[in-house]
């Protein structure tokens, strides 16, 4: 067995459709658990062990209330509950008969099933509902009915009203259905919703596009997802629910929230408070137990203290307490937790005092939470000084924490592991803290309302700054320990997942309190974590918030070093993510990289200096800005030469190769690529760039070889780049190789190979949720469709489209002339030495030709031909020649067509890997 199982012998009593389980203290009818409490089951057990025989009241009281002096009314209340449960049987042949002044007799035949071995399975992905659900039979039926009709069901009600308990009870009815429980109570923003679902489903991988990954994982499954505590992130949850239900067939959602999700197809089930006795009602112990709120209080108090019992003398006050708590299950649970130290009279008086104070004084809670706030206040006041201190200080944790975590934060004198564990156990016992067993150790967490309350109490005093300082420092230590950890990637990620919420909370506190230096430390410490967990977009947003807070006149050396590291990583992550938004991401890259460059000079940090220059060059390449490209590329090359650092030189030659390629010096680009590859074999990479080095250089070589007319060699180089990227396993590099492969294969007319690369690229763009990669996909699809239908890069009107970046416009124009835009022509005319200037000129001519402006078309075709010949761009020369030949064909100048095409055929005799040359043969054959 993967996990140890507990095997226990179980003896059961059966009578008709009923079964009494002495181990679990459960009464079931036809296999369905009845709402009968543990004390009632103990009474029934004492009776069915001796069917047909009188069991005295004393024996029954001893069975259910061993060692306690309890009034007979409590026995009568539970006997009445048992009779009601048994009266619902099919033949109603089982009953409990009263024998006056002697006791009770169980009437009916009872069978004793032999002891069998029963194993308990490992924990499922759905928490087990341990407490009895009171007063929810109708609501439970409504939820069950709704789940059979609707795919989206939302239980809506106020905080603490019992939405989660009802959802868990509804899950129990779905025996055999795959259910997964997702708790959003630890989410502090909408960014974390998808991560919570991903973790609950126990999916593998580290995708950027977590939502798409989840949809793919569930598309062929029949599953009920239970989304709990959605109100904090209702918008993001609603979007995720809509996406899941619209793109899958077998996924159903059961959500709990304080407000509806407001998505199509949603069935909303409002959950009302538990029924309470009306004001002024004359209650006895027996009549009070007819109200669900009182039933819940009695059951919860009984779990806390065996001494608790409802009596005629306290029934009225108990009804008042439940009513004043608005029938809120959470408030009732908390109130019942005090009964081991308070009488009902004391409790009622305390509630009166707290409600008065709350109404007249503090306004920290929302109006709808004031009763709950009062309940929490008196619960808090019952704690010992140590327990209260621990509860306050543990409020800094946004989610789960361990005993070790608590010991690092809570300032308890002689805070040994045993002492803090005892304190945590006491908080758990008083329902102020929950405990969860996961992996090898237990973890603790507050319910969301409890956590907010604990944090408010912390902020009321003068200890918040000290406690948060400990929390921030401890978080930094954990991040450092993870960074130094040796082990598998899975172990590393597990540690990072455990600290990421604490990192967020620590950073939020530092920023809100103006501690920009500490915020910088957290951002620097979180670099590896954000790379590993693929939360680069969040890192970029947090870094921008942090950098804004840094004073412009800051002179602290450590702070400047941290700012430099954060700016460097921000620039690189922006290159990778290319986020859409109101501000141009290229400007943001440039600003962050220039700040890195400035600080690297000031602090004499060569690694960051070189990284900034490389990043600036890459940004210029992305923006197709040749002037900036040449400036930053030249600076990078000069810096690398001056340092004589082999790693710097390796990167510098690659960057210089890209600059030469963009400037149409294709032979020079090939020379720089060769030098870079030689150096790559001699040194290990040190300065980070967006992609793995060797595949990136080979991709550039492939593109340069193609333009130079080395078509077979170009495709071989691209295949090698693909293999190298896949062997490296770096997803961004694989995506870059896939995208580049699509372009090269479309140049060649190899549609099937291009389709395979496009499929891989789209898969990675979706999985990693990279907006930069995704921005290229629509144009890819259009190009694939046109070329797949045989519509070559000729005779096409311009498309109405918007490129993601200017370099995108260039590469798409080189694939098909329909992507050329008039604005591109204006840009190219100012820099005619551009790598695909000839293609832009030719595409402009094709547009004129479609518009029957033959004179203008010929002008641009000849300009394209001259430009390509001057640059040595043979691939573009072939196309310009064919465009001119097609014009002559339209003009019925057959000899002119032959004079243009025949030299091409002779020059590249035998070459079949270029679709344009194949087309040249077809064109010539028609003349």
């Amino acid at each position: 067995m993967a996990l140890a199982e507990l095997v226990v012998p179980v003896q059961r009593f059966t009578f008709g459709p009923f079964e009494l389980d002495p181990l679990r203290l459960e009464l079931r009818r036809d296999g369905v658990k009845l709402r009968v409490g543990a004390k009632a089951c103990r009474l029934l057990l004492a009776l069915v062990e001796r069917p047909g025989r009188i069991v005295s009241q004393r024996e029954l009281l001893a069975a259910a209330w061993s060692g306690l002096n309890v009034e007979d009314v409590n026995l009568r209340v539970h006997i009445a509950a048992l009779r009601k449960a048994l009266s619902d049987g099919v033949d109603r042949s089982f009953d409990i008969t009263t024998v006056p002044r002697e006791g009770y007799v169980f009437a009916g035949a009872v069978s004793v099933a032999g002891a069998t071995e029963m194993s308990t399975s490992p924990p499922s992905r759905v928490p087990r509902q341990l407490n009895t659900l009171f007063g929810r039979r109708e609501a439970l039926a409504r939820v069950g009915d709704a789940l059979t009709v609707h795919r989206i069901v939302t239980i809506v009600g106020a905080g603490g009203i019992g939405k989660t308990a009802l959802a868990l009870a509804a899950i129990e009815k779905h025996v055999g259905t795959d259910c997964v429980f997702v708790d959003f109570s630890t989410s502090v923003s909408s960014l974390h919703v998808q991560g919570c679902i991903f973790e609950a489903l126990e999916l593998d991988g580290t995708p950027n596009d977590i939502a798409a990954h989840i949809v793919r994982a569930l598309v062929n499954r029949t599953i009920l997802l239970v989304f709990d505590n959605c109100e904090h992130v209702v918008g993001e949850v609603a979007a995720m629910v809509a996406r899941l239900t619209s793109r899958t067939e077998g996924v159903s959602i059961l959500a709990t929230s304080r407000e509806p999700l407001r998505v199509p197809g949603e069935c909303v089930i409002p959950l009302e408070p538990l029924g309470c006795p009306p004001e002024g009602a004359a209650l006895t112990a027996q009549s009070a137990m007819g109200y669900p709120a009182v039933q819940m209080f009695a059951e919860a108090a009984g779990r806390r203290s065996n001494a608790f019992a409802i009596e005629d003398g306290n029934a009225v006050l108990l009804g008042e307490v439940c009513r004043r708590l608005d029938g809120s299950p959470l408030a009732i649970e908390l109130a019942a937790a005090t009964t081991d130290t308070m009488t009902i009279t004391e409790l009622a008086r305390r509630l009166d005092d707290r409600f008065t104070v709350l109404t007249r004084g503090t306004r920290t809670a929302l109006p709808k939470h004031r009763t709950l706030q009062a309940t929490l206040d008196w619960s808090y006041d019952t704690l010992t000084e140590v327990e209260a201190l621990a509860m306050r200080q543990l409020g800094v944790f946004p989610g789960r924490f361990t005993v070790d975590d608590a010991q690092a934060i809570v300032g308890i004198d002689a805070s040994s592991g045993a002492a803090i564990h005892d304190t945590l156990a006491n908080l758990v016992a008083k329902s102020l803290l929950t405990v969860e067993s996961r992996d090898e150790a237990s973890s603790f967490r507050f319910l969301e309302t409890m956590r907010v309350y604990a944090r408010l109490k912390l902020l009321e005093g003068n200890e918040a700054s000290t406690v948060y300082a400990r929390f921030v420092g401890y978080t930094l230590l954990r991040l450092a320990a993870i960074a130094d950890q040796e082990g598998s990637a899975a172990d590393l990620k597990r540690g990072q997942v455990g600290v990421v919420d604490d990192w967020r909370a620590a950073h939020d506190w530092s920023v809100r309190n103006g501690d920009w230096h500490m915020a910088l430390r957290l951002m620097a410490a979180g670099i590896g974590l954000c790379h590993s967990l693929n939360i680069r977009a969040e890192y970029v947003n947090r870094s921008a918030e942090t950098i804004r807070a840094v004073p412009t006149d800051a002179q602290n050396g450590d702070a400047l070093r941290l700012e430099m590291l954060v700016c460097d990583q921000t620039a690189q992550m922006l290159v990778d993510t290319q986020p859409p938004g109101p501000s141009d991401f290229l400007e943001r890259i440039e600003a962050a990289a220039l700040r890195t460059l400035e600080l690297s000079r000031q602090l004499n940090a060569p690694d960051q200096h070189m990284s900034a220059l490389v990043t600036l060059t890459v940004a210029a390449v992305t923006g197709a800005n040749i002037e900036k490209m040449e400036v930053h590329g030249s600076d990078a090359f000069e810096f690398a030469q001056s340092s004589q650092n082999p790693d710097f030189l390796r990167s510098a030659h690659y960057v210089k190769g890209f600059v030469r390629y963009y400037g149409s010096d294709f032979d020079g680009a090939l020379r720089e690529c060769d030098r870079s590859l030689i150096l790559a074999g001699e040194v290990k990479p040190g300065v980070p760039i967006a992609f793995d080095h060797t595949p990136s250089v080979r991709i550039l070589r492939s593109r340069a070889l193609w333009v130079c007319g080395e078509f077979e060699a170009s495709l071989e180089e691209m295949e090698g780049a693909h293999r190298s990227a896949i062997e490296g396993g770096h997803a961004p590099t694989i995506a870059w190789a896939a995208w580049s492969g699509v372009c090269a294969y479309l140049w060649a007319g190899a549609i099937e190979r291009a389709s395979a690369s496009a499929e891989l690229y789209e898969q990675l763009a979706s999985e990693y949720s990279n907006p930069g990669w995704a921005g290229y996909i629509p144009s890819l699809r259009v190009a694939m469709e046109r070329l797949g239908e045989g519509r070559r890069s000729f005779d096409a009107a311009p498309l109405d489209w918007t490129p993601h970046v200017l370099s995108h416009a260039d590469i798409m124009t080189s694939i098909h002339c329909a992507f050329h835009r008039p604005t591109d022509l204006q840009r190219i005319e100012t820099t005619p030495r551009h790598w695909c200037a000839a293609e832009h000129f030719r595409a402009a001519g094709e547009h004129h030709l479609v518009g029957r402006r033959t004179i203008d078309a010929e002008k641009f075709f000849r300009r394209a031909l001259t430009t390509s010949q001057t640059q040595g761009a043979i691939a573009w020369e072939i196309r310009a020649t064919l465009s001119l030949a097609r014009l002559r064909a339209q003009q019925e100048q057959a000899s002119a067509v032959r004079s243009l095409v025949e030299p091409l055929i002779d020059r590249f005799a035998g070459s079949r890997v270029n679709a344009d040359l194949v087309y040249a043969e077809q064109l010539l054959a028609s003349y």
Side-chain angles (χ1 to χ4, degrees), residues 136 157-165 229 231 258 271-274 296 325-334 368-369 372 447-450:
R136 299 302 192 198
I161 205 66
K163 301 182 292 295
T164 301
N229 294 304
E231 55 269 10
R258 296 183 187 181
L271 188 59
E272 302 296 332
L274 295 177
M296 180 178 179
L325 293 176
D326 294 331
S328 167
L330 176 59
I332 291 171
E333 179 80 16
L334 292 167
K368 65 180 180 180
H369 289 164
L372 183 57
L447 296 177
E448 191 272 340
T449 303
M450 298 297 185

Side-chain angles (χ1 to χ4, degrees), residues 180-212:
V180 173
F181 186 88
V182 185
D183 183 7
F184 294 128
S185 64
T186 62
S187 298
V188 295
S189 79
S190 60
L191 295 175
H192 312 139
V193 167
Q194 297 171 3
C196 289
I197 301 172
F198 186 92
E199 181 181 359
L201 288 169
E202 300 178 355
L203 300 179
D204 296 326
T206 57
N208 272 352
D209 191 353
I210 300 176

Side-chain angles (χ1 to χ4, degrees), residues 820-832 840-841:
H820 171 77
R821 306 170 304 157
T823 54
D824 296 324
L825 182 60
Q826 298 170 10
R827 173 170 57 90
I828 295 302
E829 285 182 329
T830 62
T831 316
H840 277 293
F841 294 145

Side-chain angles (χ1 to χ4, degrees), residues 746-751 783 785-797 813-818 839 842 846 879 882-883 886 912 914-923:
L746 290 179
W747 286 342
I751 302 300
E785 179 182 355
R786 283 176 171 258
L787 294 171
E789 294 173 351
R791 290 185 282 173
R792 304 180 187 279
S793 184
F794 304 98
D795 191 29
T813 297
S814 76
I815 292 173
H816 200 287
C817 63
E839 273 296 271
R842 187 187 69 84
E846 291 290 347
R879 284 190 176 174
L882 289 173
S883 288
R886 292 180 70 260
R912 304 293 298 176
N914 188 329
D916 297 324
L917 291 174
V918 174
Y919 177 59
E921 291 181 352
Q922 296 170 352
L923 183 62

Side-chain angles (χ1 to χ4, degrees), residues 273-286:
L274 295 177
C276 301
E279 185 175 358
L283 298 174
T284 64
Q286 187 167 353

Side-chain angles (χ1 to χ4, degrees), residues 425-447:
N426 290 339
L427 293 174
V428 170
K430 296 181 179 181
S431 298
L432 297 172
L433 193 65
T434 62
V435 60
E436 299 178 354
S437 296
R438 310 186 82 190
D439 300 326
E440 298 179 356
S442 296
S443 62
F444 302 85
R445 70 179 181 91
F446 287 111
L447 296 177

